[in-house]
Amino acid sequence: MPSTRDIRRRIKSVKNTAQITKAMQMVAAAKMRKAQSAAVVGRPYAQLLNEIMAEAATRTVGFDHPLLTARPVAKRAVIVVGTDRGLCGGLNSNLFREAAKLDKDTTIFITAGRKAAQFVARTRRNLAAEFTYKDTPQFAEARAISKFVQDLFLKGEVDAVDILYPKFVNTLVQQPSLTPFLPIGKLAVTTGTNAPAQELPAASSTDVFDFEPDEETVLGELLPHSLNFKMHQILLETKASEQSARMVAMKNATDNAKQIIKDLTLEYNKLRQANITKELLEITTAQMAVG
Amino acid sequence: MAATLKLEIVTPDAKAFSDDVEMVTLTGIDGEMGIYPQHMPVMTQLVAGEVIARKGNANIILAVGDGFVQITGERVAILTDMAVKADEIDEAAAEQALQKAQARLGQKLSDEEAATVQAAVVHATTQLKVKRLIKK
């Protein structure tokens, strides 16, 4: 039977925890809004980039670029984009469960974020490089990762590159998602494009694009750039996922702590009452014995 | 025949410009290009400099960074890392950014940092150049 003092001590400690989780929840909520808007503003750019790439690909005949060519896949690399810090619910564990399904022997891992690097090291998988990114992912950070895997791919050390990252669905749902990164393969207009994109090929399908100075130079610049940009978008999205997951996790923690405080307070009051009743009883019994 | 072109300028931060214009002048990798409606389809690289769009009797001038241009008969799509309207350029801020970036160039930098700083220099100088251009 715990004494009232024990219960009081526990209530105090749970209250402290609740305060911390509440603060973390607020911080995560503020950062989440920032991260989400950062992920959204890049969309028109991504869309136009996609359109241009798709158009460029349909208008060039017999053009090939090393980044476009698919090879039989003997060895592949996976970029695991995780978070730096924990306390974000099941975000990382869900991601790593997917990563664990990949074949250990033929997969090289490249990580972004400290938690991902720890996972790969702990499970003794093949870690080629680990990168970091800041709270607001910079384009330069994305470029570093993207350039590294492009080099791997072009040197023939890997035959395909995929990215595993927590896709942001909405604030409550983040889904681990494995998307192909290299080779770029057949270029196509991806989802989310609106009417002009569908109109254009029909309107000018007979035209052939003129490239200045030539196809190789323009596409040689455009393809790496689009990969860098895609990587950047993924980092932004991961950040949005992380902050959302942390906010939800911390909200749950705060709610739990409040529930515990309520239960403990009830128990404390009951015990206090029982003690008073007991004391009264003792006093009256003593009086009766004396009288 | 369409008398206007749709000019779209998009940066990673925002859709900087989207309007129907009568003519666009921009600097491609092979030199300056003037684009009227029904221009033949071209794809090229954009060099940092000014983009001038004519709409009615007014000229809209923007400072843009490096990027890509796709031209079809009815549309000019510009993808770039910077786009600022000439009258929104803050000369003092650009000057300051330029000095800061140049100071950093003197230090030892990794490739990635150097690329970022180099881009900052290009952005600032382009903004200043365009600002001076419209003052004349």
PDB file of all heavy atoms in Angstrom, chain A residues 126-155:
ATOM      1  N   ASN A 126      25.553  -3.046 -45.375  1.00  0.00           N
ATOM      2  CA  ASN A 126      26.627  -2.384 -46.091  1.00  0.00           C
ATOM      3  C   ASN A 126      26.350  -0.890 -46.220  1.00  0.00           C
ATOM      4  O   ASN A 126      25.484  -0.477 -46.985  1.00  0.00           O
ATOM      5  CB  ASN A 126      26.732  -3.042 -47.479  1.00  0.00           C
ATOM      6  CG  ASN A 126      28.055  -2.759 -48.104  1.00  0.00           C
ATOM      7  OD1 ASN A 126      28.754  -1.830 -47.679  1.00  0.00           O
ATOM      8  ND2 ASN A 126      28.408  -3.543 -49.084  1.00  0.00           N
ATOM      9  N   LEU A 127      27.092  -0.086 -45.468  1.00  0.00           N
ATOM     10  CA  LEU A 127      26.866   1.359 -45.477  1.00  0.00           C
ATOM     11  C   LEU A 127      27.912   2.049 -46.343  1.00  0.00           C
ATOM     12  O   LEU A 127      29.103   1.967 -46.065  1.00  0.00           O
ATOM     13  CB  LEU A 127      26.922   1.900 -44.043  1.00  0.00           C
ATOM     14  CG  LEU A 127      26.704   3.393 -43.855  1.00  0.00           C
ATOM     15  CD1 LEU A 127      25.296   3.792 -44.244  1.00  0.00           C
ATOM     16  CD2 LEU A 127      26.972   3.796 -42.418  1.00  0.00           C
ATOM     17  N   ALA A 128      27.455   2.683 -47.412  1.00  0.00           N
ATOM     18  CA  ALA A 128      28.409   3.310 -48.332  1.00  0.00           C
ATOM     19  C   ALA A 128      28.743   4.730 -47.892  1.00  0.00           C
ATOM     20  O   ALA A 128      29.885   5.160 -47.992  1.00  0.00           O
ATOM     21  CB  ALA A 128      27.856   3.316 -49.741  1.00  0.00           C
ATOM     22  N   ALA A 129      27.747   5.438 -47.419  1.00  0.00           N
ATOM     23  CA  ALA A 129      28.002   6.810 -47.011  1.00  0.00           C
ATOM     24  C   ALA A 129      26.850   7.273 -46.141  1.00  0.00           C
ATOM     25  O   ALA A 129      25.721   6.804 -46.299  1.00  0.00           O
ATOM     26  CB  ALA A 129      28.107   7.720 -48.223  1.00  0.00           C
ATOM     27  N   GLU A 130      27.139   8.171 -45.227  1.00  0.00           N
ATOM     28  CA  GLU A 130      26.033   8.760 -44.472  1.00  0.00           C
ATOM     29  C   GLU A 130      26.085  10.272 -44.606  1.00  0.00           C
ATOM     30  O   GLU A 130      27.133  10.896 -44.590  1.00  0.00           O
ATOM     31  CB  GLU A 130      26.037   8.318 -43.017  1.00  0.00           C
ATOM     32  CG  GLU A 130      27.259   8.692 -42.223  1.00  0.00           C
ATOM     33  CD  GLU A 130      27.084   8.294 -40.759  1.00  0.00           C
ATOM     34  OE1 GLU A 130      26.420   9.039 -40.019  1.00  0.00           O
ATOM     35  OE2 GLU A 130      27.623   7.253 -40.388  1.00  0.00           O
ATOM     36  N   PHE A 131      24.909  10.829 -44.802  1.00  0.00           N
ATOM     37  CA  PHE A 131      24.800  12.267 -44.987  1.00  0.00           C
ATOM     38  C   PHE A 131      23.952  12.838 -43.870  1.00  0.00           C
ATOM     39  O   PHE A 131      23.213  12.117 -43.204  1.00  0.00           O
ATOM     40  CB  PHE A 131      24.148  12.586 -46.338  1.00  0.00           C
ATOM     41  CG  PHE A 131      25.010  12.240 -47.504  1.00  0.00           C
ATOM     42  CD1 PHE A 131      24.940  10.983 -48.090  1.00  0.00           C
ATOM     43  CD2 PHE A 131      25.900  13.168 -48.011  1.00  0.00           C
ATOM     44  CE1 PHE A 131      25.745  10.664 -49.166  1.00  0.00           C
ATOM     45  CE2 PHE A 131      26.707  12.846 -49.083  1.00  0.00           C
ATOM     46  CZ  PHE A 131      26.628  11.603 -49.662  1.00  0.00           C
ATOM     47  N   THR A 132      24.060  14.132 -43.694  1.00  0.00           N
ATOM     48  CA  THR A 132      23.204  14.785 -42.706  1.00  0.00           C
ATOM     49  C   THR A 132      22.427  15.888 -43.408  1.00  0.00           C
ATOM     50  O   THR A 132      22.819  16.354 -44.478  1.00  0.00           O
ATOM     51  CB  THR A 132      24.038  15.425 -41.592  1.00  0.00           C
ATOM     52  OG1 THR A 132      25.020  16.248 -42.203  1.00  0.00           O
ATOM     53  CG2 THR A 132      24.698  14.389 -40.734  1.00  0.00           C
ATOM     54  N   TYR A 133      21.344  16.271 -42.823  1.00  0.00           N
ATOM     55  CA  TYR A 133      20.636  17.442 -43.326  1.00  0.00           C
ATOM     56  C   TYR A 133      20.051  18.204 -42.158  1.00  0.00           C
ATOM     57  O   TYR A 133      19.782  17.640 -41.109  1.00  0.00           O
ATOM     58  CB  TYR A 133      19.577  17.061 -44.352  1.00  0.00           C
ATOM     59  CG  TYR A 133      18.509  16.128 -43.853  1.00  0.00           C
ATOM     60  CD1 TYR A 133      17.251  16.615 -43.533  1.00  0.00           C
ATOM     61  CD2 TYR A 133      18.759  14.782 -43.722  1.00  0.00           C
ATOM     62  CE1 TYR A 133      16.270  15.762 -43.076  1.00  0.00           C
ATOM     63  CE2 TYR A 133      17.787  13.927 -43.265  1.00  0.00           C
ATOM     64  CZ  TYR A 133      16.550  14.415 -42.954  1.00  0.00           C
ATOM     65  OH  TYR A 133      15.586  13.579 -42.493  1.00  0.00           O
ATOM     66  N   LYS A 134      19.882  19.487 -42.386  1.00  0.00           N
ATOM     67  CA  LYS A 134      19.461  20.356 -41.282  1.00  0.00           C
ATOM     68  C   LYS A 134      17.947  20.375 -41.133  1.00  0.00           C
ATOM     69  O   LYS A 134      17.222  19.742 -41.883  1.00  0.00           O
ATOM     70  CB  LYS A 134      19.942  21.784 -41.541  1.00  0.00           C
ATOM     71  CG  LYS A 134      21.453  21.918 -41.524  1.00  0.00           C
ATOM     72  CD  LYS A 134      21.832  23.381 -41.320  1.00  0.00           C
ATOM     73  CE  LYS A 134      23.257  23.646 -41.720  1.00  0.00           C
ATOM     74  NZ  LYS A 134      23.426  24.125 -43.076  1.00  0.00           N
ATOM     75  N   ASP A 135      17.521  21.147 -40.144  1.00  0.00           N
ATOM     76  CA  ASP A 135      16.096  21.244 -39.865  1.00  0.00           C
ATOM     77  C   ASP A 135      15.332  21.789 -41.063  1.00  0.00           C
ATOM     78  O   ASP A 135      14.221  21.362 -41.355  1.00  0.00           O
ATOM     79  CB  ASP A 135      15.868  22.154 -38.658  1.00  0.00           C
ATOM     80  CG  ASP A 135      15.142  21.418 -37.552  1.00  0.00           C
ATOM     81  OD1 ASP A 135      14.979  20.190 -37.695  1.00  0.00           O
ATOM     82  OD2 ASP A 135      14.749  22.057 -36.575  1.00  0.00           O
ATOM     83  N   THR A 136      15.947  22.772 -41.738  1.00  0.00           N
ATOM     84  CA  THR A 136      15.388  23.214 -43.011  1.00  0.00           C
ATOM     85  C   THR A 136      16.365  22.733 -44.079  1.00  0.00           C
ATOM     86  O   THR A 136      17.415  23.326 -44.252  1.00  0.00           O
ATOM     87  CB  THR A 136      15.279  24.740 -43.079  1.00  0.00           C
ATOM     88  OG1 THR A 136      16.455  25.285 -42.485  1.00  0.00           O
ATOM     89  CG2 THR A 136      14.068  25.258 -42.368  1.00  0.00           C
ATOM     90  N   PRO A 137      16.023  21.630 -44.761  1.00  0.00           N
ATOM     91  CA  PRO A 137      16.964  21.029 -45.703  1.00  0.00           C
ATOM     92  C   PRO A 137      17.395  22.029 -46.774  1.00  0.00           C
ATOM     93  O   PRO A 137      16.570  22.721 -47.356  1.00  0.00           O
ATOM     94  CB  PRO A 137      16.160  19.889 -46.315  1.00  0.00           C
ATOM     95  CG  PRO A 137      15.087  19.601 -45.345  1.00  0.00           C
ATOM     96  CD  PRO A 137      14.762  20.908 -44.705  1.00  0.00           C
ATOM     97  N   GLN A 138      18.688  22.123 -46.983  1.00  0.00           N
ATOM     98  CA  GLN A 138      19.217  23.029 -47.993  1.00  0.00           C
ATOM     99  C   GLN A 138      19.386  22.276 -49.309  1.00  0.00           C
ATOM    100  O   GLN A 138      19.622  21.072 -49.317  1.00  0.00           O
ATOM    101  CB  GLN A 138      20.585  23.560 -47.557  1.00  0.00           C
ATOM    102  CG  GLN A 138      20.561  24.298 -46.251  1.00  0.00           C
ATOM    103  CD  GLN A 138      19.753  25.565 -46.345  1.00  0.00           C
ATOM    104  OE1 GLN A 138      19.935  26.360 -47.262  1.00  0.00           O
ATOM    105  NE2 GLN A 138      18.822  25.756 -45.420  1.00  0.00           N
ATOM    106  N   PHE A 139      19.317  23.037 -50.393  1.00  0.00           N
ATOM    107  CA  PHE A 139      19.477  22.412 -51.695  1.00  0.00           C
ATOM    108  C   PHE A 139      20.860  21.783 -51.824  1.00  0.00           C
ATOM    109  O   PHE A 139      21.026  20.720 -52.406  1.00  0.00           O
ATOM    110  CB  PHE A 139      19.248  23.445 -52.800  1.00  0.00           C
ATOM    111  CG  PHE A 139      19.132  22.839 -54.153  1.00  0.00           C
ATOM    112  CD1 PHE A 139      18.029  22.092 -54.495  1.00  0.00           C
ATOM    113  CD2 PHE A 139      20.141  22.989 -55.086  1.00  0.00           C
ATOM    114  CE1 PHE A 139      17.920  21.513 -55.740  1.00  0.00           C
ATOM    115  CE2 PHE A 139      20.039  22.419 -56.333  1.00  0.00           C
ATOM    116  CZ  PHE A 139      18.933  21.676 -56.665  1.00  0.00           C
ATOM    117  N   ALA A 140      21.855  22.447 -51.226  1.00  0.00           N
ATOM    118  CA  ALA A 140      23.231  21.937 -51.324  1.00  0.00           C
ATOM    119  C   ALA A 140      23.354  20.560 -50.680  1.00  0.00           C
ATOM    120  O   ALA A 140      24.093  19.705 -51.170  1.00  0.00           O
ATOM    121  CB  ALA A 140      24.188  22.927 -50.672  1.00  0.00           C
ATOM    122  N   GLU A 141      22.616  20.343 -49.594  1.00  0.00           N
ATOM    123  CA  GLU A 141      22.670  19.037 -48.926  1.00  0.00           C
ATOM    124  C   GLU A 141      22.092  17.952 -49.815  1.00  0.00           C
ATOM    125  O   GLU A 141      22.630  16.843 -49.910  1.00  0.00           O
ATOM    126  CB  GLU A 141      21.911  19.105 -47.600  1.00  0.00           C
ATOM    127  CG  GLU A 141      22.606  19.963 -46.570  1.00  0.00           C
ATOM    128  CD  GLU A 141      21.667  20.492 -45.503  1.00  0.00           C
ATOM    129  OE1 GLU A 141      20.432  20.408 -45.684  1.00  0.00           O
ATOM    130  OE2 GLU A 141      22.164  21.000 -44.510  1.00  0.00           O
ATOM    131  N   ALA A 142      20.995  18.288 -50.482  1.00  0.00           N
ATOM    132  CA  ALA A 142      20.376  17.330 -51.398  1.00  0.00           C
ATOM    133  C   ALA A 142      21.311  17.056 -52.567  1.00  0.00           C
ATOM    134  O   ALA A 142      21.460  15.916 -53.015  1.00  0.00           O
ATOM    135  CB  ALA A 142      19.044  17.873 -51.902  1.00  0.00           C
ATOM    136  N   ARG A 143      21.973  18.120 -53.032  1.00  0.00           N
ATOM    137  CA  ARG A 143      22.853  17.967 -54.180  1.00  0.00           C
ATOM    138  C   ARG A 143      24.002  17.020 -53.845  1.00  0.00           C
ATOM    139  O   ARG A 143      24.407  16.198 -54.662  1.00  0.00           O
ATOM    140  CB  ARG A 143      23.387  19.334 -54.604  1.00  0.00           C
ATOM    141  CG  ARG A 143      24.149  19.305 -55.906  1.00  0.00           C
ATOM    142  CD  ARG A 143      24.402  20.687 -56.414  1.00  0.00           C
ATOM    143  NE  ARG A 143      24.891  21.532 -55.327  1.00  0.00           N
ATOM    144  CZ  ARG A 143      24.774  22.847 -55.295  1.00  0.00           C
ATOM    145  NH1 ARG A 143      24.177  23.472 -56.271  1.00  0.00           N
ATOM    146  NH2 ARG A 143      25.237  23.538 -54.290  1.00  0.00           N
ATOM    147  N   ALA A 144      24.503  17.112 -52.611  1.00  0.00           N
ATOM    148  CA  ALA A 144      25.613  16.249 -52.215  1.00  0.00           C
ATOM    149  C   ALA A 144      25.213  14.779 -52.301  1.00  0.00           C
ATOM    150  O   ALA A 144      25.949  13.953 -52.846  1.00  0.00           O
ATOM    151  CB  ALA A 144      26.052  16.610 -50.800  1.00  0.00           C
ATOM    152  N   ILE A 145      24.025  14.463 -51.773  1.00  0.00           N
ATOM    153  CA  ILE A 145      23.562  13.072 -51.793  1.00  0.00           C
ATOM    154  C   ILE A 145      23.356  12.615 -53.230  1.00  0.00           C
ATOM    155  O   ILE A 145      23.822  11.562 -53.665  1.00  0.00           O
ATOM    156  CB  ILE A 145      22.236  12.928 -51.019  1.00  0.00           C
ATOM    157  CG1 ILE A 145      22.393  13.455 -49.603  1.00  0.00           C
ATOM    158  CG2 ILE A 145      21.772  11.485 -51.012  1.00  0.00           C
ATOM    159  CD1 ILE A 145      21.112  13.481 -48.813  1.00  0.00           C
ATOM    160  N   SER A 146      22.643  13.449 -53.974  1.00  0.00           N
ATOM    161  CA  SER A 146      22.279  13.094 -55.330  1.00  0.00           C
ATOM    162  C   SER A 146      23.522  12.890 -56.196  1.00  0.00           C
ATOM    163  O   SER A 146      23.604  11.964 -56.997  1.00  0.00           O
ATOM    164  CB  SER A 146      21.382  14.197 -55.885  1.00  0.00           C
ATOM    165  OG  SER A 146      21.358  14.175 -57.261  1.00  0.00           O
ATOM    166  N   LYS A 147      24.511  13.745 -55.996  1.00  0.00           N
ATOM    167  CA  LYS A 147      25.732  13.649 -56.790  1.00  0.00           C
ATOM    168  C   LYS A 147      26.472  12.355 -56.448  1.00  0.00           C
ATOM    169  O   LYS A 147      26.988  11.666 -57.332  1.00  0.00           O
ATOM    170  CB  LYS A 147      26.616  14.864 -56.491  1.00  0.00           C
ATOM    171  CG  LYS A 147      27.647  15.106 -57.546  1.00  0.00           C
ATOM    172  CD  LYS A 147      28.146  16.543 -57.476  1.00  0.00           C
ATOM    173  CE  LYS A 147      29.348  16.747 -58.364  1.00  0.00           C
ATOM    174  NZ  LYS A 147      30.480  15.903 -58.025  1.00  0.00           N
ATOM    175  N   PHE A 148      26.493  12.030 -55.178  1.00  0.00           N
ATOM    176  CA  PHE A 148      27.190  10.827 -54.743  1.00  0.00           C
ATOM    177  C   PHE A 148      26.593   9.581 -55.408  1.00  0.00           C
ATOM    178  O   PHE A 148      27.315   8.738 -55.941  1.00  0.00           O
ATOM    179  CB  PHE A 148      27.098  10.715 -53.220  1.00  0.00           C
ATOM    180  CG  PHE A 148      27.771   9.497 -52.660  1.00  0.00           C
ATOM    181  CD1 PHE A 148      29.141   9.467 -52.505  1.00  0.00           C
ATOM    182  CD2 PHE A 148      27.032   8.379 -52.316  1.00  0.00           C
ATOM    183  CE1 PHE A 148      29.771   8.343 -51.999  1.00  0.00           C
ATOM    184  CE2 PHE A 148      27.648   7.253 -51.804  1.00  0.00           C
ATOM    185  CZ  PHE A 148      29.022   7.232 -51.651  1.00  0.00           C
ATOM    186  N   VAL A 149      25.271   9.466 -55.416  1.00  0.00           N
ATOM    187  CA  VAL A 149      24.670   8.263 -56.008  1.00  0.00           C
ATOM    188  C   VAL A 149      24.777   8.283 -57.530  1.00  0.00           C
ATOM    189  O   VAL A 149      24.915   7.228 -58.154  1.00  0.00           O
ATOM    190  CB  VAL A 149      23.200   8.051 -55.576  1.00  0.00           C
ATOM    191  CG1 VAL A 149      23.120   7.762 -54.102  1.00  0.00           C
ATOM    192  CG2 VAL A 149      22.313   9.204 -55.937  1.00  0.00           C
ATOM    193  N   GLN A 150      24.739   9.472 -58.113  1.00  0.00           N
ATOM    194  CA  GLN A 150      24.923   9.523 -59.567  1.00  0.00           C
ATOM    195  C   GLN A 150      26.312   9.020 -59.958  1.00  0.00           C
ATOM    196  O   GLN A 150      26.465   8.300 -60.937  1.00  0.00           O
ATOM    197  CB  GLN A 150      24.733  10.946 -60.077  1.00  0.00           C
ATOM    198  CG  GLN A 150      23.281  11.354 -60.173  1.00  0.00           C
ATOM    199  CD  GLN A 150      23.146  12.815 -60.554  1.00  0.00           C
ATOM    200  OE1 GLN A 150      23.839  13.304 -61.435  1.00  0.00           O
ATOM    201  NE2 GLN A 150      22.266  13.513 -59.887  1.00  0.00           N
ATOM    202  N   ASP A 151      27.301   9.396 -59.154  1.00  0.00           N
ATOM    203  CA  ASP A 151      28.660   8.912 -59.409  1.00  0.00           C
ATOM    204  C   ASP A 151      28.725   7.396 -59.293  1.00  0.00           C
ATOM    205  O   ASP A 151      29.291   6.717 -60.148  1.00  0.00           O
ATOM    206  CB  ASP A 151      29.644   9.548 -58.424  1.00  0.00           C
ATOM    207  CG  ASP A 151      29.987  10.971 -58.826  1.00  0.00           C
ATOM    208  OD1 ASP A 151      29.633  11.338 -59.965  1.00  0.00           O
ATOM    209  OD2 ASP A 151      30.581  11.701 -58.016  1.00  0.00           O
ATOM    210  N   LEU A 152      28.117   6.878 -58.217  1.00  0.00           N
ATOM    211  CA  LEU A 152      28.092   5.418 -58.027  1.00  0.00           C
ATOM    212  C   LEU A 152      27.477   4.738 -59.235  1.00  0.00           C
ATOM    213  O   LEU A 152      27.977   3.735 -59.731  1.00  0.00           O
ATOM    214  CB  LEU A 152      27.261   5.060 -56.797  1.00  0.00           C
ATOM    215  CG  LEU A 152      27.895   5.090 -55.416  1.00  0.00           C
ATOM    216  CD1 LEU A 152      26.912   4.517 -54.405  1.00  0.00           C
ATOM    217  CD2 LEU A 152      29.181   4.283 -55.390  1.00  0.00           C
ATOM    218  N   PHE A 153      26.379   5.314 -59.686  1.00  0.00           N
ATOM    219  CA  PHE A 153      25.633   4.716 -60.784  1.00  0.00           C
ATOM    220  C   PHE A 153      26.434   4.785 -62.081  1.00  0.00           C
ATOM    221  O   PHE A 153      26.543   3.808 -62.820  1.00  0.00           O
ATOM    222  CB  PHE A 153      24.292   5.438 -60.943  1.00  0.00           C
ATOM    223  CG  PHE A 153      23.427   4.875 -62.035  1.00  0.00           C
ATOM    224  CD1 PHE A 153      22.719   3.709 -61.833  1.00  0.00           C
ATOM    225  CD2 PHE A 153      23.330   5.515 -63.254  1.00  0.00           C
ATOM    226  CE1 PHE A 153      21.931   3.183 -62.835  1.00  0.00           C
ATOM    227  CE2 PHE A 153      22.540   5.000 -64.260  1.00  0.00           C
ATOM    228  CZ  PHE A 153      21.837   3.831 -64.055  1.00  0.00           C
ATOM    229  N   LEU A 154      27.021   5.931 -62.343  1.00  0.00           N
ATOM    230  CA  LEU A 154      27.743   6.103 -63.600  1.00  0.00           C
ATOM    231  C   LEU A 154      29.024   5.277 -63.629  1.00  0.00           C
ATOM    232  O   LEU A 154      29.450   4.826 -64.675  1.00  0.00           O
ATOM    233  CB  LEU A 154      28.076   7.588 -63.832  1.00  0.00           C
ATOM    234  CG  LEU A 154      26.864   8.467 -64.114  1.00  0.00           C
ATOM    235  CD1 LEU A 154      27.264   9.915 -64.279  1.00  0.00           C
ATOM    236  CD2 LEU A 154      26.119   7.993 -65.371  1.00  0.00           C
ATOM    237  N   LYS A 155      29.616   5.074 -62.458  1.00  0.00           N
ATOM    238  CA  LYS A 155      30.832   4.259 -62.405  1.00  0.00           C
ATOM    239  C   LYS A 155      30.510   2.774 -62.508  1.00  0.00           C
ATOM    240  O   LYS A 155      31.401   1.948 -62.598  1.00  0.00           O
ATOM    241  CB  LYS A 155      31.581   4.529 -61.095  1.00  0.00           C
ATOM    242  CG  LYS A 155      32.554   5.706 -61.211  1.00  0.00           C
ATOM    243  CD  LYS A 155      33.453   5.781 -59.994  1.00  0.00           C
ATOM    244  CE  LYS A 155      32.902   6.722 -58.973  1.00  0.00           C
ATOM    245  NZ  LYS A 155      33.503   6.649 -57.659  1.00  0.00           N
TER     246      LYS A 155
END
